[in-house]
Amino acid sequence: MPTNDKPGGPDSFDVIVIGGGPAGYPCAIRAAQNQLRVACIDEWKNRDGSAAFGGTCLNAGCIPSKALLESTELYHRAREEFATHGIGVAAVSLDLAQMQKRKASIVKGMTGGILALFKAAGVTPLQGHGKLLPGRRVQFTAHDGARRELAARHVVLASGSVPIELRSAPFKAPHVVDSWGALDFEAVPKRLGVIGAGVIGLELGSVWRRLGAEVTVLEALPDFLAFADQQLAREALRHFRKQGLDIRLGAKVTGATVAGGAVDVAYSDAKGAQHVAVDRLVVAIGRRPYTGELLGADTGVELDERGFITVDHSCRTGAEGVWAVGDCVRGPMLAHKGKEEGVMVADVIAGRYGEVNYKVIPAVVYTAPEIAWVGLTEEQVKASGREYKTGVFPFQASARARAMEQAAGFAKIIAARDDDEILGVHIVGPMAGELIAETVLAMEYSASSEDLQRTIHAHPTLSEAVHEAALNADKRAIDSLNR
Ligand code: FAD
Ligand code: NAD
């Protein structure tokens, strides 16, 4: 581990990363791999007061939500599906405290793992607040209040994002909560309201629905998953409604009143003023960049009108030697997008090649059926004016999906008519998040749908759905009707 104290001067590093979430910590590790002296500052504190690296994703986002999605899916399948397989279980019972304990131990293991990775790579972990000062100096305030000034050749800002609060339904724990609150319920709410049918609303709505809550989801827009391919969105909506998620579209929330332990949510839709009474309300209407107390005066770093730190294609801010990555800059708020930006910046700082291909970033919604896509939607391709063809393969025709009792949904490929380039892939079905990876690689290599058609896929696997969808783009599918 390098020592960074210079007698009589500020602590000095090659790179200081402010923020230790999935954008910041990989940046620190890659910079250290590039033989640079690195410190990573992070101020995250969990509800029990413990400090932890990993940011939103590991502490209160991706990881705890996926732990609960897995547990609740198993619970649901044991209750609803095992009999179909000929498996009798006397009584399936729920131990929510144990489910939450398992989630917490996964989070603890993963966040603790970052410290181990830092140690192995030689990154100096600093737990507390970081504030950028002019001239690439950083004021560091440890959790115990001790303050010191650090200096670096490069500073990377990775301060992440926080939930957006809705003026008509402000957070008021324990009744009106954000996604973090909704991950930590100690009892299954009898009636759960969710504002926002986005990624969080669908994932957390599914978690509590599977455990028995009556879930009502209020979405302001008239279209479901408006940013997704609409053929995929329609299919997903059908399945979610069948599962009992009461998704109400075009619903504009006007107020939420907590009284007698319940929340009365007022909203208006095409039919006029409406009400729904719930026991807990989750507000999940998006997240905003977080830059609280991050920038001192005259740093030269600018924010745009929505509060994002302004950066160029390579994540450079307007201040020399200051970079910004992850949720605090433009682009999708996804952990893997932030990670690749962090790694890119660490490589560019070290004089190596680094680039993020923003056109090929996969998105996954971890519901059942799972949803995943990469590239353009059919609506976007149509609007571009480029001639295209589509290939669709239903999981009903997949032997593996049927064996898994998960034959819902389809895989869809959109390819250009002129040169057959794959323009977008949209999957709703089992393990869609894993299946999309093959097509991300294909698009990264500018593959054609014929390339996928000529690639051997093992039988019987779910990946054959991608193969057959590619074949169907030229109406040459073997295992389904070529419509
Ligand atoms: P963050 O993870 O927010 O980390 C920023 C860190 O910087 C925090 O620890 C913060 O405390 C610290 N910090 C901020 N300012 C300072 C400062 N001045 N000094 C010191 N430290 C500071 N994305 C996916 O790709 N897949 C998923 O499955 C997924 N699931 C999600 C589920 C939920 C419920 C939520 C809320 C989000 C989910 N996301 C998911 C989104 C994902 O969590 C974010 O895109 C990701 O965490 C962004 O990473 P980041 O490093 O930019 O910011
Ligand atoms: P989101 O942008 O995915 O969805 C928010 C939804 O709320 C949208 O459908 C929007 O139309 C709706 N909405 C906005 N204002 C509303 C209002 N006043 N009333 C009713 N509906 C309203 O945001 P999110 O679900 O809060 O997630 C935040 C971020 O976290 C997203 O950017 C997402 O990428 C990320 N995330 C990713 C994953 C994943 O990758 N699996 C999981 C969870 C969160």
Side-chain angles (χ1 to χ4, degrees):
M1 166 110 42
T3 59
N4 302 296
D5 294 330
K6 274 191 190 159
D11 294 352
S12 125
F13 296 87
D14 293 316
V15 181
I16 294 175
V17 183
I18 302 180
Y25 87 76
C27 178
I29 289 174
R30 174 53 62 85
Q33 287 170 348
N34 287 338
Q35 309 301 318
L36 299 171
R37 289 190 307 162
V38 188
C40 183
I41 301 174
D42 188 88
E43 68 182 359
W44 187 278
K45 269 197 175 177
N46 279 307
R47 293 197 204 286
D48 62 3
S50 61
F53 279 91
T56 306
C57 172
L58 277 82
N59 290 289
C62 324
I63 303 310
S65 60
K66 266 78 257 181
L68 288 185
L69 279 157
E70 189 64 29
S71 297
T72 57
E73 179 63 5
L74 287 178
Y75 175 75
H76 172 79
R77 294 183 73 188
R79 280 166 60 101
E80 307 290 332
E81 195 184 297
F82 278 18
T84 313
H85 290 268
I87 304 170
V89 276
V92 180
S93 63
L94 173 65
D95 181 348
L96 183 57
Q98 167 57 23
M99 203 178 267
Q100 292 288 23
K101 206 166 126 192
R102 186 190 91 100
K103 178 198 80 180
S105 87
I106 294 168
V107 168
K108 196 158 188 237
M110 299 300 293
T111 55
I114 295 176
L115 274 177
L117 292 174
F118 277 178
K119 193 166 178 206
V123 173
T124 302
L126 296 172
Q127 288 180 305
H129 184 78
K131 182 175 187 173
L132 180 71
L133 305 175
R136 278 160 282 146
R137 288 171 303 123
V138 173
Q139 183 187 77
F140 168 63
T141 311
H143 284 311
D144 65 7
R147 188 169 275 183
R148 58 201 245 240
E149 198 172 292
L150 315 172
R153 291 199 298 117
H154 296 270
V155 178
V156 184
L157 308 173
S159 53
S161 64
V162 288
I164 295 175
E165 188 154 18
L166 186 57
R167 214 171 295 155
S168 54
F171 296 126
K172 196 172 181 189
H175 293 96
V176 183
V177 297
D178 63 11
S179 53
W180 198 5
L183 286 165
D184 285 352
F185 289 152
E186 288 170 2
V188 180
K190 186 166 173 326
R191 300 163 303 174
L192 177 69
V194 181
I195 305 183
V199 194
I200 291 179
L202 294 173
E203 289 187 356
L204 295 185
S206 295
V207 161
W208 297 108
R209 174 71 202 130
R210 291 168 189 166
L211 297 183
E214 292 163 21
V215 179
T216 307
V217 185
L218 303 175
E219 164 61 46
L221 295 178
D223 294 323
F224 180 64
L225 288 179
F227 44 87
D229 184 277
Q230 285 302 293
Q231 186 180 359
L232 173 139
R234 279 192 298 276
E235 176 76 3
L237 180 60
R238 203 167 60 80
H239 290 290
F240 296 146
R241 283 192 166 147
K242 222 161 78 186
Q243 291 163 11
L245 285 177
D246 180 358
I247 298 171
R248 303 183 189 178
L249 300 173
K252 300 198 169 54
V253 175
T254 50
T257 316
V258 180
V263 191
D264 184 56
V265 187
Y267 66 96
S268 63
D269 64 11
K271 292 188 200 126
Q274 312 277 355
H275 281 259
V276 60
V278 295
D279 300 299
R280 291 287 181 271
L281 180 64
V282 185
V283 180
I285 57 165
R287 296 175 62 86
R288 61 176 171 82
Y290 177 70
T291 52
E293 285 299 303
L294 176 68
L295 304 173
D298 305 322
T299 59
V301 175
E302 286 179 7
L303 305 183
D304 70 15
E305 67 285 354
R306 293 194 299 151
F308 289 96
I309 298 173
T310 308
V311 288
D312 69 6
H313 192 75
S314 303
C315 292
R316 282 183 190 86
T317 71
E320 209 195 323
V322 182
W323 312 70
V325 296
D327 278 12
C328 65
V329 303
R330 82 286 175 266
M333 287 184 168
L334 294 171
H336 42 282
K337 172 263 194 187
K339 178 181 185 180
E340 292 312 315
E341 288 180 334
V343 165
M344 166 183 74
V345 165
D347 281 340
V348 172
I349 285 174
R352 293 172 182 246
Y353 176 76
E355 195 182 337
V356 171
N357 182 358
Y358 288 96
K359 288 188 180 155
V360 186
I361 298 178
V364 182
V365 189
Y366 296 83
T367 45
E370 218 161 77
I371 299 171
W373 68 82
V374 60
L376 301 175
T377 63
E378 186 168 351
E379 291 74 24
Q380 287 169 326
V381 176
K382 202 177 271 175
S384 76
R386 191 163 178 192
E387 291 285 312
Y388 67 96
K389 54 192 178 179
T390 61
V392 174
F393 181 80
F395 282 102
Q396 265 299 334
S398 156
R400 187 65 190 275
R402 292 184 80 139
M404 292 166 70
E405 199 59 31
Q406 289 187 40
F410 57 75
K412 169 179 176 179
I413 287 183
I414 307 168
R417 275 239 170 263
D418 48 13
D419 62 1
D420 196 28
E421 181 191 359
I422 300 168
L423 303 174
V425 182
H426 307 271
I427 305 175
V428 49
M431 309 298 279
E434 303 296 331
L435 295 178
I436 204 72
E438 165 188 8
T439 65
V440 175
L441 186 68
M443 287 181 69
E444 194 60 48
Y445 281 76
S446 304
S448 62
S449 82
E450 187 184 347
D451 290 325
L452 279 184
Q453 292 172 18
R454 294 188 183 279
T455 302
I456 300 176
H457 291 69
H459 177 74
T461 61
L462 296 173
S463 70
E464 288 172 296
V466 172
H467 186 215
E468 287 281 330
L471 286 163
N472 182 248
D474 287 329
K475 304 302 162 235
R476 294 168 68 80
I478 302 296
D479 285 322
S480 73
L481 301 173
N482 282 299
R483 281 198 270 253

